[in-house]
């Protein structure tokens, strides 16, 4: 390999002589040894990639994300435009945050000072290795592959430092902060997601609704991995907030409502999120265009023109309370999972999460965090945030490990850290000394702190018992645990559409457990039993339920058994029902239903295709026998499509948006006649289908895309029942 760059003339020519004796000017002429030579000329240019999606006036070439000065100039030009547009309202008294969305800029392979950056970071010159980028072998296949690893690693580091971190630095100069996603998945992306987010003020990720990008009824596992990546950054580096582009959808436009979205939101919480950035809330400037504008086919259309916009507070309260509780204190996890170098978490978790046993939580850790943010203190792996871990796990990809990471792990294990997983086999980098690698790995693997077997075997060997043990469950129950001072906060989620009556054992003793409900903000006492450092409770979980179990006050008893809750149906409320439909939505203002049924079954096309709110009213006679000292009276609406707002005798009793659709009416119901009013809101889908029918000229709806065809299936709508009155006794 001979670098001819210095011999190239201004006209592009290179003067090669037959022998050194023929050279007249050593600065412009060179003699090559005898043999067959290939001369390769390298240059670089723009990729031509443009930003997207954006309006035409906001579309242009992507900035060189490897070039610090280019990025700095780019972002300040952009921010100066915002400063002008807002009249200087930037920072604490104005625009406070910028979101760096998922990376979709394609592959970047070069920048003007790449050779210098490569030499600084990898410790050797790139020049004699550049032919490998054309598919040629230099020295041998192994060496060429290691060079390519170093090349990709350098690109990834430059993207993280010169794009993401530079934008963050420039924002901070203006008293602004950044949310940062990485790349989601299936995109060309050489940066490490945890490196991209490590200096973000709020690490961020993304979670799509089921059926959006992949088929099936479940959320994508890689979205769980994406959020866990952000949560791991927050937990290791001491950031209190973990955000995600939340409940993003494509397909099934305007079919989303809180009861449907809860499952996805809860999966986000289970993955470590504690701040929702709802996707999408498009500006709706026009009052007469409903449901209005959308971001193309992407949703879930959370705007003021949604049918259930006026009932959204109950849903937002649930998200807010859940987020607030999971922002308290520090996350508790036993396992630190090292996923290797030059590997992204969303690829690692494309099909499943790491095989950490049930009952234990884990955080991911990457090379940068392991080198700079993890030590062994007081018998535990300890992050700079103060979060602690009992066990370090090496993923299979860690068989390729750079020497600095290997040395750091060896140091941790020498000082007492426990390790399990794949034995490192080689360094993927040309920068590392092979003999030194072999010496360190042999020393490491001969240390008794390197444990054998599975993760479960290792945890058992060091006597780390499960944080949460769930029994009697049919479906999966997910959990999160945070500790805030003397409080232990556990959050549990039933992933089933069925009721689950479970026994849960928590790794907490000496405190009284309480049941906290994020839907209402109310709390209840729990029966419990404390023994051997654990507390056992029984929990009733409704379909897709999520509950907080909070250990708060010091226990004065080791066992408390409360009376079982008794439920008795008092009466079934039959028809007829008087109904008033929302005006200007195509339905008659008044109607009478002799029995409850979906609006889509109605012969009147105005009711069949109705979207909006209809008010059901009925007077019932309450028996004096219902009213006893110890009983609560509940109205059970049965099935509702999709949200109901209830009042009794003119007293508002709240909004119900998920199963079971039950409301405590004790404070409003009285013996004798009672007026019940139930406002039920469905979705835009049926009216959109109605407006798509042949011959319809006076359409009620407006969208920027034709989401539904005339033969699309209608969605069940209205109060479906059965409606009953129940007595609930807790003594």
């Amino acid at each position: 390999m001979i670098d001819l760059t210095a011999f190239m003339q201004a006209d592009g020519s290179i003067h090669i002589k037959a022998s050194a004796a023929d050279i007249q000017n050593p600065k412009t002429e060179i003699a090559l040894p005898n043999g067959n030579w290939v001369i390769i000329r390298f240059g670089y240019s723009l990729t031509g990639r443009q930003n997207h999606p954006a309006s035409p006036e906001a579309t242009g070439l992507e900035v060189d994300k490897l070039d610090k000065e280019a990025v700095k100039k780019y972002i300040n030009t952009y921010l100066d435009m915002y400063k002008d547009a807002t009249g200087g309202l930037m920072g604490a008294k104005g625009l406070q945050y910028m979101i760096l969305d998922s990376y979709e800029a394609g592959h970047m392979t070069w920048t003007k000072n790449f050779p210098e950056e490569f030499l600084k970071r990898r410790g050797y010159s790139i020049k004699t290795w550049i032919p490998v980028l054309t598919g040629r072998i230099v020295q041998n296949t192994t060496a060429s592959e290691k060079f390519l690893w170093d090349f990709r690693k350098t690109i990834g580091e430059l993207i993280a430092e010169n794009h993401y971190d530079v934008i963050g630095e420039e924002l901070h100069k203006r008293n602004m902060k950044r949310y940062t996603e990485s790349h989601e998945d299936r995109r060309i992306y050489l940066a490490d997601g945890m490196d991209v987010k490590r200096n973000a003020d709020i690490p961020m990720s993304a979670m799509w609704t089921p059926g959006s990008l992949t088929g099936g009824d479940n959320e994508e596992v890689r979205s769980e991995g994406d959020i866990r990546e952000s949560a791991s950054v927050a937990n290791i580096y001491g950031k209190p907030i973990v955000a995600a582009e939340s409940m993003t959808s494509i397909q099934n436009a305007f079919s989303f409502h809180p009861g449907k979205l809860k499952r996805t939101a809860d999966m986000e919480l289970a993955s470590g999120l504690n701040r929702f950035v709802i996707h999408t809330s498009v500006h709706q400037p026009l009052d007469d265009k409903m449901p209005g504008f959308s971001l193309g086919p992407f949703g879930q259309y959370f705007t003021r023109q949604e049918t259930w916009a006026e009932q959204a507070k109950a849903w937002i309260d649930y998200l807010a309370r859940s987020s607030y509780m999971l922002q308290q204190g520090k996350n508790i996890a036993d396992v630190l999972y090292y996923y290797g170098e030059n590997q992204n978490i969303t690829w690692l978790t494309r099909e499943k999460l790491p095989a950490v046993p049930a009952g234990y939580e884990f955080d991911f850790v990457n090379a940068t965090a392991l080198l700079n943010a993890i030590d062994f203190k007081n018998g535990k792996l300890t992050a700079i945030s103060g979060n602690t871990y009992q066990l370090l796990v090496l993923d299979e990809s860690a068989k390729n490990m750079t020497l600095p990471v290997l040395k750091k792990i060896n140091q941790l294990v020498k000082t007492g850290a426990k390790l399990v997983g794949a034995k490192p086999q080689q360094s993927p980098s040309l920068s590392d000394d092979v003999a030194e690698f072999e010496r360190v790995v042999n020393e490491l693997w001969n240390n008794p702190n390197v444990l054998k077997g599975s993760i479960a075997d290792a945890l058992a060997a060091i006597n780390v018992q499960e944080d949460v043990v769930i029994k009697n469950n049919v479906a999966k129950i997910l959990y999160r645990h945070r500790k805030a001072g003397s409080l232990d906060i556990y959050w549990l989620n039933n992933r089933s559409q069925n009721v689950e009556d479970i026994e849960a054992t928590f790794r907490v003793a000496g405190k009284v457990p309480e049941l906290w409900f994020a839907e209402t903000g109310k709390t209840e006492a729990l029966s419990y039993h404390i023994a051997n450092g654990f507390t056992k409770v029984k929990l009733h979980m409704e379909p897709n339920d999520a509950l907080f179990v909070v250990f708060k006050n010091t226990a004065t008893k080791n066992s408390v058994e409360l009376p079982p809750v008794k439920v008795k149906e008092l009466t079934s409320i039959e028809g007829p029902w008087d109904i008033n439909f929302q005006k200007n939505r195509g339905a008659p203002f008044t109607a009478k239903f002799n029995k409850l049924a979906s609006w889509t079954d109605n012969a009147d096309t105005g009711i069949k295709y109705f979207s909006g709110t209809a008010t059901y009213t009925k007077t019932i006679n309450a028996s004096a026998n219902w009213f006893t000292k110890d009983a609560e009276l509940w109205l059970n609406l049965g099935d509702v499509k999709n949200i109901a707002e209830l009042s009794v005798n003119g007293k508002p009793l709240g909004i119900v948006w998920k199963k079971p659709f039950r409301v405590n009416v004790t404070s409003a119901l009285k013996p004798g006649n009672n007026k019940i009013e139930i406002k039920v809101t469905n979705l835009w889908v049926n009216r959109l289908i109605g407006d798509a029918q042949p011959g319809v000229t006076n359409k009620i709806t407006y969208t920027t895309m034709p989401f539904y065809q005339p033969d699309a299936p209608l969605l069940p709508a209205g109060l479906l029942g059965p409606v009953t009155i129940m007595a609930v006794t807790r003594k």
Side-chain angles (χ1 to χ4, degrees):
M1 300 297 305
I2 299 176
D3 181 2
L4 301 177
T5 307
F7 298 95
M8 184 171 168
Q9 304 301 298
D11 63 358
S13 64
I14 296 175
H15 295 192
I16 299 174
K17 298 295 184 178
S19 68
D22 297 326
I23 294 176
Q24 302 297 314
N25 186 347
K27 293 184 177 181
T28 61
E29 299 174 346
I30 185 172
L32 298 179
N34 291 331
N36 296 320
W37 290 86
V38 175
I39 298 177
I40 306 174
R41 180 179 181 270
F42 294 92
Y44 65 95
S45 69
L46 300 177
T47 65
R49 188 75 176 221
Q50 294 189 324
N51 62 308
H52 70 282
S55 55
E57 64 274 16
T59 300
L61 293 172
E62 286 279 359
V63 69
D64 179 356
K65 292 172 169 54
L66 312 185
D67 186 328
K68 181 176 183 178
E69 293 306 316
V71 172
K72 187 182 295 186
K73 183 176 181 180
Y74 156 76
I75 195 61
N76 280 307
T77 300
Y78 186 71
L79 291 171
D80 284 343
M81 293 170 66
Y82 263 96
K83 182 179 180 181
D84 180 63
T86 62
L89 294 177
M90 306 276 279
K93 294 184 178 180
L95 190 63
Q96 297 180 38
Y97 291 91
M98 171 177 282
I99 289 180
L100 302 188
D101 200 356
S102 53
Y103 184 98
E104 302 176 24
H107 202 5
M108 296 187 177
T109 57
W110 201 261
T111 193
K112 59 186 179 184
N113 63 339
F114 194 89
E116 292 79 11
E117 288 286 353
F118 187 92
L119 177 61
K120 180 176 72 175
R121 296 166 185 273
R122 306 282 81 88
Y124 65 94
S125 174
I126 194 175
K127 289 186 177 179
T128 57
W129 292 91
I130 288 181
V132 177
L133 301 179
T134 71
R136 290 168 169 81
I137 301 299
V138 174
Q139 289 190 4
N140 54 59
T141 302
T142 299
S144 296
E145 288 290 350
K146 288 189 172 187
F147 161 72
L148 288 173
W149 192 93
D150 288 338
F151 178 71
R152 293 190 294 267
K153 184 70 171 176
T154 303
I155 293 171
E157 289 176 353
L158 289 174
I159 289 175
E161 296 172 22
N162 291 351
H163 174 60
Y164 293 96
D165 287 352
V166 165
I167 290 178
E169 291 163 5
E170 296 307 305
L171 286 168
H172 288 168
K173 291 176 184 177
R174 298 172 186 253
N175 295 315
M176 294 177 66
K177 298 178 181 180
R178 67 172 165 121
Y179 289 71
T180 299
E181 299 182 41
S182 56
H183 74 300
E184 297 189 41
D185 76 332
R186 288 180 293 184
R187 298 188 180 114
I188 297 170
Y189 194 66
L190 296 181
D192 179 279
M194 288 188 70
D195 282 348
V196 161
K197 300 173 184 179
R198 68 175 181 255
N199 292 320
D201 300 284
I202 299 177
M204 186 165 162
S205 39
M207 173 71 77
W208 291 70
T209 54
S212 291
L213 297 182
T214 58
D217 298 325
N218 297 318
E219 291 74 18
E220 296 173 285
V221 180
R222 67 96 189 159
S223 288
E224 298 178 51
D226 193 6
I227 295 178
R228 283 179 174 272
E229 175 181 85
S230 296
S232 299
V233 168
N235 296 335
I236 290 171
Y237 291 100
K239 302 174 189 294
I241 305 298
V242 179
E245 172 190 313
S246 295
M247 298 167 281
T248 310
S249 75
I250 184 172
Q251 313 294 336
N252 307 310
F254 299 101
S255 70
F256 298 95
H257 56 92
K260 182 178 180 179
L261 292 167
K262 182 180 186 296
R263 177 182 169 85
T264 300
D266 286 344
M267 179 55 80
E268 296 185 77
L269 294 167
S271 303
L273 170 139
N274 57 22
R275 176 171 289 177
F276 292 91
V277 180
I278 296 176
H279 188 294
T280 305
S281 186
V282 177
H283 180 50
Q284 302 292 341
L286 305 176
D287 292 330
D288 62 339
K289 298 290 186 291
M290 294 183 287
F293 302 140
S294 62
L295 185 65
F298 302 101
Q300 42 82 26
Y301 319 99
F302 186 74
T303 80
R304 70 186 185 96
Q305 303 291 35
E306 181 59 272
T307 55
W308 47 273
E310 296 303 318
Q311 290 82 35
K313 184 179 186 302
W315 168 234
I316 297 304
D317 283 349
Y318 171 75
L319 299 179
R321 289 192 189 100
S322 300
S323 298
Y324 176 78
M325 291 290 288
L326 292 173
Q327 289 171 11
Q328 304 308 304
K330 295 182 181 297
N331 185 71
I332 301 300
D334 293 303
V335 173
L336 198 58
Y337 193 94
Y338 177 70
Y339 58 90
E341 298 168 82
N342 255 19
Q343 160 137 297
N344 270 294
I345 287 172
T346 52
W347 173 253
L348 174 70
T349 61
R350 63 195 182 279
E351 295 179 354
K352 60 183 179 181
L353 295 176
V356 176
Y360 301 94
E361 262 302 340
F362 70 92
D363 278 333
F364 287 113
V365 65
N366 72 342
T368 304
L370 201 57
L371 288 167
N372 303 311
I374 303 294
D375 285 308
F376 188 76
K377 299 178 182 177
N378 302 318
K380 293 183 179 181
L381 290 156
T382 304
I384 58 174
S385 63
N387 281 29
T388 59
Y389 308 88
Q390 302 277 8
L391 180 68
L392 177 61
V393 176
L394 302 183
D395 183 73
E396 281 292 312
S397 66
K399 289 180 177 179
N400 290 320
M401 181 180 291
T402 56
L403 187 56
V405 174
L406 178 64
K407 286 182 174 179
K408 178 60 182 285
I409 292 174
N410 191 36
Q411 173 198 332
L412 292 171
V413 171
K414 275 183 178 180
T415 53
K418 302 300 188 291
L419 175 72
V420 72
K423 181 180 180 180
Q425 301 295 318
Q426 63 177 355
S427 170
S429 172
L430 272 180
S431 303
D432 292 337
D433 182 87
V434 175
E436 178 69 357
F437 182 95
E438 288 296 323
R439 184 194 69 76
V440 176
V441 79
N442 288 332
E443 179 181 309
L444 170 62
W445 230 247
N446 286 324
N447 192 306
N449 288 329
V450 177
L451 307 173
K452 305 297 187 282
S454 66
I455 301 174
D457 294 334
L459 289 165
I462 59 177
N463 197 31
V464 178
Q465 295 178 293
E466 294 98 323
D467 192 14
V468 178
V469 177
I470 306 294
K471 293 183 178 179
N472 305 328
N473 57 307
V474 176
K476 183 180 289 186
I477 306 292
L478 302 178
Y479 87 94
R480 274 279 153 180
H481 178 194
R482 295 188 73 88
K483 190 169 182 62
S486 62
L487 286 180
D488 278 277
I489 301 168
Y490 286 88
W491 174 88
L492 293 95
N493 175 221
N494 173 19
R495 299 306 293 170
S496 168
Q497 293 283 346
N498 302 312
V499 170
E500 293 277 0
D501 287 295
I502 65 172
E503 179 185 275
T505 302
F506 302 95
R507 197 173 59 196
V508 176
K511 299 178 187 176
V512 177
E514 298 177 354
L515 193 59
W516 292 25
F517 298 93
E519 295 102 306
T520 62
K522 295 181 179 179
T523 65
E524 288 182 5
L526 278 170
S527 300
Y528 64 89
H529 179 70
I530 302 173
N532 303 317
F534 291 85
T535 303
K536 184 184 298 181
V537 303
K538 293 181 179 179
L539 296 172
H540 175 79
M541 302 192 77
E542 296 290 346
N544 289 327
D545 208 356
L547 304 170
F548 284 96
V549 178
V550 179
F551 291 84
K552 184 179 179 184
N553 299 318
T554 302
T556 58
K557 300 178 181 179
N558 285 332
S559 187
V560 170
E561 191 67 34
L562 301 174
V565 176
K566 298 179 181 178
V567 179
K568 179 183 178 181
E569 184 178 309
L570 300 175
T571 189
S572 178
I573 302 174
E574 306 294 341
W577 293 82
D578 292 318
I579 306 177
N580 291 339
F581 287 92
Q582 187 174 352
K583 293 181 178 180
N584 303 318
R585 295 290 178 90
F589 179 63
T590 62
K592 187 181 290 290
F593 280 20
N594 291 321
K595 64 178 182 179
L596 296 175
S598 173
W599 301 337
T600 56
D601 296 334
N602 203 282
D604 187 317
T605 56
I607 296 175
K608 178 178 182 177
Y609 295 118
F610 176 78
S611 292
T613 300
T615 304
Y616 292 71
T617 57
K618 187 173 182 61
T619 299
I620 67 166
N621 187 275
S623 170
N625 296 332
W626 296 356
F627 299 85
T628 63
K629 179 181 178 182
D630 296 329
E632 299 172 356
L633 297 177
W634 286 70
L635 183 64
N636 186 354
L637 302 182
D639 198 8
V640 175
K641 301 297 182 185
N642 298 96
I643 300 177
E645 187 173 359
L646 181 69
S647 65
V648 174
N649 297 322
K651 181 177 181 178
L653 295 175
I655 296 166
V656 284
W657 49 271
K658 60 176 279 292
K659 294 179 179 179
F661 292 95
R662 297 197 295 248
V663 180
N664 189 333
V665 296
T666 310
S667 64
L669 206 66
K670 66 182 191 300
N673 288 335
N674 295 266
K675 183 181 179 182
I676 296 176
E677 186 175 273
I678 306 167
K679 295 181 179 179
V680 178
T681 303
N682 73 328
L683 310 174
W684 276 117
V685 173
N686 292 348
R687 188 65 261 170
L688 289 168
I689 295 170
D691 283 356
Q693 297 304 305
V696 174
T697 56
N698 186 22
K699 295 185 178 182
I700 295 168
T701 58
Y702 170 87
T703 60
T704 47
M705 291 185 71
F707 289 107
Y708 291 97
Q709 298 300 314
D711 59 350
L714 298 173
L715 300 182
L719 177 62
L720 306 182
V723 180
T724 59
I725 300 286
M726 305 183 308
V728 178
T729 307
R730 302 179 187 276
K731 294 183 180 180

